Amino acid sequence: MTRRGGTSAQRCAFTSYREIGRAAEFPLHPLFTRPIGATDGIIDTEGLSLADALAQVKDFAGSDRLWSRGKDEFNMLAISCHVAGRAPPLPASRFGNACNLLLAAGMPLDDLHRTRS
């Protein structure tokens, strides 16, 4: 993760939050913004529209599978798209569960349960 402005994928999450019209009611929590150095000002000036961010995610993915831990694809894409009234640019079938990838690489199941996403 980058400290200034974030990547396009990071801004995707920020922008979808802004587009549902809750920025004035609910400021971004430091637990969300602190790890990447985001501020409301950065999001307001450098954030992308949901449509632009989703197009960049789709371009980035190409024909490859995207890996997420658990059901992150539903949080990242499906819910944001539903709230904005948009069709997701990538179907959920394009995402793989990284937990399965870690198990296949030999990580013990108990360790996987203790590993934070």
Side-chain angles (χ1 to χ4, degrees):
M1 293 187 178
T2 59
R3 300 281 305 158
R4 295 266 186 218
T7 66
S8 296
Q10 291 162 345
R11 287 192 300 266
C12 173
F14 300 146
T15 306
S16 62
Y17 177 82
R18 292 286 188 221
E19 286 183 2
I20 62 174
R22 300 195 188 270
E25 287 180 59
F26 305 104
L28 296 172
H29 192 279
L31 186 62
F32 176 74
T33 59
R34 196 175 330 148
I36 57 173
T39 65
D40 284 329
I42 289 172
I43 293 166
D44 291 340
T45 59
E46 298 180 31
L48 302 172
S49 71
L50 179 60
D52 289 344
L54 292 174
Q56 287 187 19
V57 169
K58 184 177 180 181
D59 289 345
F60 171 80
S63 62
D64 294 331
R65 178 175 295 270
L66 296 172
W67 294 94
S68 63
R69 187 173 205 284
K71 300 294 181 192
D72 292 340
E73 69 275 13
F74 296 120
N75 293 324
M76 182 178 78
L77 290 175
I79 293 172
S80 294
C81 290
H82 175 75
V83 169
R86 301 183 161 278
L90 298 167
S93 60
R94 290 281 308 277
F95 291 82
N97 188 330
C99 295
N100 296 334
L101 188 64
L102 294 170
L103 289 171
M107 181 180 235
L109 183 60
D110 288 342
D111 289 348
L112 182 64
H113 287 246
R114 288 191 300 270
T115 303
R116 299 179 60 114
S117 58

